[in-house]
Amino acid sequence: MAVALIPSVVPALMQGVVDPQAPPPNLGFFGPIGVPLIYTIVKILVVFTVYMVGVALLTLAERKVSAWIQDRLGPNRVIKGWGQPLADGVKNFMKEETLPADVNKPLFLLAPAFAFIPALSLWAVIPFAAPLPLPWGRMDMVVADLPIGYLYILALASLGVFGIVLAGWASNNKYALLGGLRSSAQMVSYEIAMGMSTIPILLLAGDVSLGTIVRQQERNGWHVLTLTVACFIFLVSAFAETNRLPFDLPEAESELIAGYHTEYSAMKFSLFFIAEYANMVTASALMATLFFGGWTVPFWHAVNNAPWAWWKTVITLGAFLFKVLFFLFFYMWIRWTLPRFRYDQLMSLGWKLLLPLSLGYVVVIAGATLGLDALGVPRTPVHGWPVYGLCLTAINVVLVLLLFVVADRGRLISPASARVRALELERLRAVRLRSALARRPVAAAVAAAAGRATSGAGD
Amino acid sequence: MSISVKVLTRPIDEVSYVRATMQGMALTFKHMINPHKVTVQYPEHRDALSPRWRGTHRMLTTEDGSAKCVACGLCPAVCPANCIKLVPGEDEHGNRYPLVFEIDEFRCIFCGYCQEVCPEEAIHLGRHYENAEYTRDGFVYDLERLTAQGHPVCEMWDPADPAGE
């Protein structure tokens, strides 16, 4: 294919038509596609490979971080521990694939793929570095620069639940089914808070393209500073969406054995494991892109803007990877710090706290943008000062103090853990006593006699 | 009948989520960068055993290489786990010796009574703990195997020196 392209591209290069700073011209052998197609294929291959190797290494990182937090050493045998993911992979390939009785075979086999593919597909729209100028035209460092990137993410992220639900349902196992049910409830609930928490970003960016969102943060400051509450809600929802502690109820080893993947073995189990980490990587990348400026480097405008050069691509790629790795570490850090929420606490947190909070925050930010626009504050920086961003940050500081310092005191998330009122307790005890006595006639007669005696005494 | 739920009294005034989480994260981070190193890399590094460690048995031998045991029958009698099998024999000079002497290391509870009761100081427990076999039968140690053991023997508790110094 590359050979076939040469005749069509080379003359253009010789004539100096191709501008490295501009997208590649559409003069390929295949008509409108050609160089862009090759670019896309190269990007897909590279991203996929790096992603999969990264996910494998993440399993090692998780075990090492957990070990350090728990004063242990972690894996240190296979090539000082570095070969552990490889050894695990080999082990999983060698193991027996079990197929329990009466499973729904097609769905049972498809479920691991369903769990894995959405997480992988999400990476297509995430911009991960500054564009790279090449002799054949500029290569944008995003696999598919969709103008609707954000909507694509919301749509695909909600597909992730299918793998887990199908695995739970197809397994013909009560624990797996319970895990699947929990997962569906949990992910549907947190999906809403997650979507709502990102509305303020769209209000600021005025666009659903992730590239625009990154640009906008480069101009007006990271969204984590201007929209901390949204960032917090998104973070919590992302934990719930990826089924990580403290929201790993679909797995819940202590209650459900292993939850939805109880019946899976060997490589199919491994795929679920990979899917969990793939989800983590994707959520971390989203976090970095939506709230932490994506691939841009703070306070270094030269590297974030045209004209593009290869070293700018390298530096911004490094910045992006650093942010993603930080969030991956954050995931692990939280996992080995917090215990699991109870199911009713999870639902209360999602529906009664995060959803109203994100809705209220949308109103606040919409009001703020409206007010700032009415006051004539420009959205672009004035003399290098992001006035718009600073105004939002000021509002944000007040909100954060109110929420995380004043409001975060003396409240319990779950209604079930609050104390029952004394009157209610009396009523419940009476109901219980009556139902117990109704089953035992003799005792009932005695109780009735005692009741008469007490009522007589009362008179 | 409904399940009775124990309702905990919580100090609700002290409850917090965000700050408590941050405190917890600070604690785990502290442990991560400054772990209490207690792990022993076992096969390469082994902690020293106490001189009174009671492990795998060992039968001591006389200078000519035969077991010191005189088949008096005290150890099977005292053994609380009933793990010693002894069949006594007698040679032409009237000396008793064990025809069969077997210890089932699976049944043994390593109390050390056999060592304590032995008048000839023949049977001893040893400072050794790595016993792995492929079959259960492999844990029945016969006289030949007991005399072949080379690990140091357990020192008995001395009332005059209770701390073992």
Side-chain angles (χ1 to χ4, degrees), chain A residues 276-334:
Chain A
E276 183 187 329
Y277 284 91
N279 271 314
M280 266 169 69
V281 177
T282 307
S284 303
L286 274 182
M287 199 66 203
T289 305
L290 293 178
F291 292 100
F292 286 77
W295 48 266
T296 57
V297 183
F299 305 118
W300 194 3
H301 294 292
V303 83
N304 295 334
N305 289 295
W308 308 114
W310 66 268
W311 59 270
K312 290 185 179 180
T313 305
V314 172
I315 289 175
T316 50
L317 182 65
F320 184 73
L321 286 183
F322 177 78
K323 288 170 194 175
V324 172
L325 286 177
F326 171 77
F327 282 109
L328 289 171
F329 167 70
F330 190 77
Y331 262 98
M332 295 169 191
W333 190 7
I334 287 280

Side-chain angles (χ1 to χ4, degrees), chain A residues 382-398:
Chain A
V382 185
H383 307 300
W385 285 90
V387 181
Y388 203 83
L390 288 177
C391 290
L392 282 174
T393 311
I395 298 169
N396 193 43
V397 168
V398 178

Side-chain angles (χ1 to χ4, degrees), chain A residues 392-451:
Chain A
L392 282 174
T393 311
I395 298 169
N396 193 43
V397 168
V398 178
L399 283 179
V400 167
L401 285 179
L402 275 177
L403 274 175
F404 297 157
V405 180
V406 180
D408 179 39
R409 188 186 290 272
R411 279 175 184 78
L412 288 174
I413 282 176
S414 161
S417 63
R419 301 196 63 177
V420 182
R421 276 172 295 139
L423 212 66
E424 182 71 4
L425 202 63
E426 285 299 314
R427 193 186 66 80
L428 288 173
R429 278 184 183 145
V431 168
R432 205 176 90 186
L433 188 70
R434 268 205 301 280
S435 62
L437 290 178
R439 284 195 294 273
R440 281 183 294 178
V442 179
V446 171

Side-chain angles (χ1 to χ4, degrees), chain A residues 46-212:
Chain A
V46 170
V47 168
F48 182 74
T49 314
V50 172
Y51 189 61
M52 293 313 290
V53 173
V55 164
L57 285 174
L58 268 183
T59 60
L60 174 69
E62 169 97 59
R63 293 170 67 178
K64 273 291 186 189
V65 168
S66 75
W68 291 330
I69 282 177
Q70 296 170 352
D71 295 339
R72 294 183 287 114
L73 294 175
N76 62 352
R77 289 296 148 135
V78 192
I79 325 174
K80 296 268 171 203
W82 288 101
Q84 193 64 47
L86 190 70
D88 287 342
V90 170
K91 183 192 79 171
N92 275 318
F93 271 116
M94 308 290 247
K95 279 199 160 187
E96 182 191 355
E97 296 263 4
T98 54
L99 194 69
D102 297 330
V103 295
N104 187 320
K105 204 169 170 184
L107 290 184
F108 187 78
L109 297 179
L110 271 177
F114 270 124
F116 177 58
I117 290 170
L120 197 60
S121 320
L122 279 185
W123 261 88
V125 294
I126 294 173
F128 50 86
L132 181 65
L134 288 173
W136 308 281
R138 190 182 74 201
M139 186 194 252
D140 287 321
M141 282 296 161
V142 50
V143 173
D145 190 11
L146 280 188
I148 50 151
Y150 168 79
L151 299 178
Y152 173 85
I153 282 170
L154 277 195
L156 272 190
S158 49
L159 289 183
V161 69
F162 277 101
I164 292 172
V165 171
L166 287 181
W169 184 78
S171 287
N172 188 30
N173 176 314
K174 53 180 174 285
Y175 297 112
L177 182 62
L178 280 172
L181 282 175
R182 283 183 178 191
S183 155
S184 58
Q186 172 180 331
M187 290 176 94
V188 168
S189 308
Y190 279 80
E191 193 83 21
I192 298 168
M194 192 178 189
M196 283 298 165
S197 72
T198 43
I199 298 288
I201 296 176
L202 305 187
L203 288 175
L204 290 193
D207 199 338
V208 287
S209 150
L210 291 180
T212 316

Side-chain angles (χ1 to χ4, degrees), chain B residues 56-59 101 105 130-133 137-151:
Chain B
T56 318
H57 297 81
R58 190 183 158 193
M59 174 68 81
F101 189 93
E105 299 284 337
E130 285 152 325
N131 308 317
E133 296 288 341
D137 295 339
F139 284 99
V140 180
Y141 284 23
D142 57 8
L143 189 61
E144 194 185 345
R145 192 160 173 193
L146 286 168
T147 49
Q149 304 278 1
H151 50 258

